[in-house]
Amino acid sequence: MSWIRNNDLNLLQKLCVNVLKCGPVPRHVAFIMDGNRRYARKTNVQKAEGHSKGFDKLAECLHWCRELGIKEVTVYAFSIENFKRSNDEVEALMQLAREKFQKLFEEKDKLMQEGVCIRVIGNLCLLPDDIRKLIAEAMLLTKDNTRSILNVAFSYTSREEITQSIRSIVEAVQDKSIEVGDVSEELIANCLYTHLSPDPDILIRTSGEVRISDFLLWQISNTELCFTNVLWPEFNIWHLLGFVFKYQRSRCLQDVYKANKPQPNRNHRTQSFVKSFERKRIQQLELYARA
Ligand code: FPP
Ligand code: MG
């Protein structure tokens, strides 16, 4: 199954999509794709097959998001906690990632034509070398695409992300690139894996679990949280449209909140630190890609 799908929506789906597009469309939607193993049990297939069906649903869902005009999507594909699962299951998830990132290169032309940028957020050092290399190559290849952005949280937890952000800032204070007084919310956000993304407008979790599970804790302070009992491989366009409608109804209050948000206040020290930090990230990816 391809990353980029172009299935036509039926007439009723098209009509509803067009009606929702008249209102404020979320710019960024995040998904906790939960329930793959329960789906596997329910349908009498192996866990690996459940995760594979989960990937197919992700590809389908990305298509619905593009149809709706949602520019950015972030998905929780593998938590650092998932390394504690059985070796067989971790290996099956790694194999799925290997196959799908390889597939991504086979679809390179389509990806570039559609202007899709793929970013993997997480601690890439924890991944097998070959997957890290594939990820770095995919990120470098698509980094200048801007029409549609997919962030794949892979080997990710939010606490680890915040910890590494703080560590980078402490190192910069120690080497005197910045001063303690320069440390701000904005600077911490700039050192997160998600530094290039706006905060999600909506976070959707499937499978009936009403938890955040260490996903985007910093980024969801003002996000519409949506939960559904449906298992991820059974998620359909109507669930998504329902959540977008819910978001549109609560949007007015969010505008008041945003209007009151303090404006960032960067000085030249923090600006040059953030720029050099960004350069280092790209250099690190180039090293992984060459490995
Ligand atoms: C949670 O369901 C799902 C995962 C841990 C894996 C999600 C991964 C995918 C959908 C594939 C994405 C792949 C790529 C390459 C982007 P669960 O295993 O916790 O199921 P359960 O809650 O029923 O036990
Ligand atoms: Mg689960």
Side-chain angles (χ1 to χ4, degrees):
M1 165 79 66
S2 148
W3 286 76
I4 304 202
R5 300 188 58 174
N6 283 316
N7 315 35
D8 275 340
L9 304 184
N10 67 35
L11 266 181
L12 183 61
Q13 291 168 345
K14 271 189 196 151
L15 177 73
C16 293
V17 163
N18 285 333
V19 169
L20 285 176
K21 282 169 90 166
C22 296
V25 172
R27 197 200 166 290
H28 182 184
V29 179
F31 293 91
I32 302 180
M33 310 179 287
D34 198 15
N36 291 350
R37 293 186 300 186
R38 274 167 281 172
Y39 177 81
R41 263 199 307 278
K42 192 170 153 184
T43 55
N44 272 322
V45 296
Q46 297 288 312
K47 281 179 198 161
E49 180 59 19
H51 291 309
S52 174
K53 285 277 182 291
F55 178 85
D56 297 347
K57 184 56 65 175
L58 164 61
E60 214 178 338
C61 191
L62 292 174
H63 173 62
W64 303 330
C65 288
R66 278 200 304 278
E67 291 286 316
L68 269 163
I70 296 167
K71 195 174 152 127
E72 185 152 355
V73 170
T74 300
V75 293
Y76 209 0
F78 192 85
S79 150
I80 292 175
E81 286 296 304
N82 291 152
F83 280 113
K84 295 182 186 154
R85 293 191 177 185
S86 72
N87 286 347
D88 280 358
E89 190 180 350
V90 172
E91 188 36 50
L93 280 162
M94 290 298 152
Q95 186 51 28
L96 184 64
R98 205 171 267 123
E99 281 165 23
K100 297 306 177 185
F101 281 109
Q102 267 156 3
K103 177 95 189 155
L104 205 137
F105 286 101
E106 290 160 29
E107 300 185 315
K108 189 171 126 183
D109 292 346
K110 211 158 139 197
L111 206 68
M112 300 309 276
Q113 205 179 314
E114 298 269 343
V116 181
C117 168
I118 308 270
R119 298 184 193 132
V120 176
I121 56 171
N123 186 341
L124 301 187
C125 299
L126 303 177
L127 294 172
D129 295 354
D130 63 328
I131 298 183
R132 183 167 53 239
K133 180 174 162 68
L134 281 170
I135 287 173
E137 286 169 350
M139 285 173 74
L140 289 170
L141 173 74
T142 62
K143 75 178 174 39
D144 297 323
N145 291 346
T146 54
R147 211 173 314 143
S148 174
I149 295 159
L150 171 63
N151 305 299
V152 181
F154 203 82
S155 180
Y156 174 91
T157 58
S158 195
R159 288 181 176 202
E160 193 274 341
E161 175 185 41
I162 295 168
T163 306
Q164 71 72 32
S165 166
I166 303 291
R167 193 179 298 127
S168 315
I169 291 171
V170 170
E171 281 168 8
V173 171
Q174 277 172 343
D175 74 19
K176 301 200 174 5
S177 315
I178 54 172
E179 294 174 3
V180 172
D182 296 331
V183 180
S184 63
E185 287 183 21
E186 197 215 356
L187 190 64
I188 294 173
N190 268 300
C191 295
L192 296 174
Y193 299 132
T194 54
H195 65 290
L196 295 171
S197 304
D199 290 345
D201 301 298
I202 307 181
L203 168 68
I204 298 172
R205 181 172 189 153
T206 54
S207 92
E209 305 294 342
V210 184
R211 287 180 280 123
I212 303 299
S213 300
D214 216 344
F215 187 48
L216 305 178
L217 299 179
W218 178 278
Q219 297 86 343
I220 56 168
S221 62
N222 189 40
T223 296
E224 183 83 25
L225 302 180
C226 301
F227 299 95
T228 169
N229 287 335
V230 73
L231 303 175
W232 174 250
E234 295 172 330
F235 188 75
N236 66 36
I237 189 170
W238 298 111
H239 299 116
L240 179 64
L241 298 182
F243 289 136
V244 171
F245 181 60
K246 177 175 179 260
Y247 161 79
Q248 292 186 333
R249 275 188 315 180
S250 66
R251 179 59 201 267
C252 299
L253 279 173
Q254 290 197 353
D255 279 344
V256 171
Y257 170 86
K258 277 179 188 154
N260 290 337
K261 250 188 146 177
Q263 290 305 303
N265 182 15
R266 277 197 200 173
N267 60 33
H268 74 278
R269 268 191 313 276
T270 53
Q271 271 179 30
S272 67
F273 165 65
V274 167
K275 269 194 196 139
S276 80
F277 194 61
E278 180 54 19
R279 267 197 305 276
K280 276 191 208 148
R281 287 179 205 261
I282 301 282
Q283 284 163 357
Q284 185 65 64
L285 284 179
E286 286 167 348
L287 273 179
Y288 288 152
R290 274 204 299 272

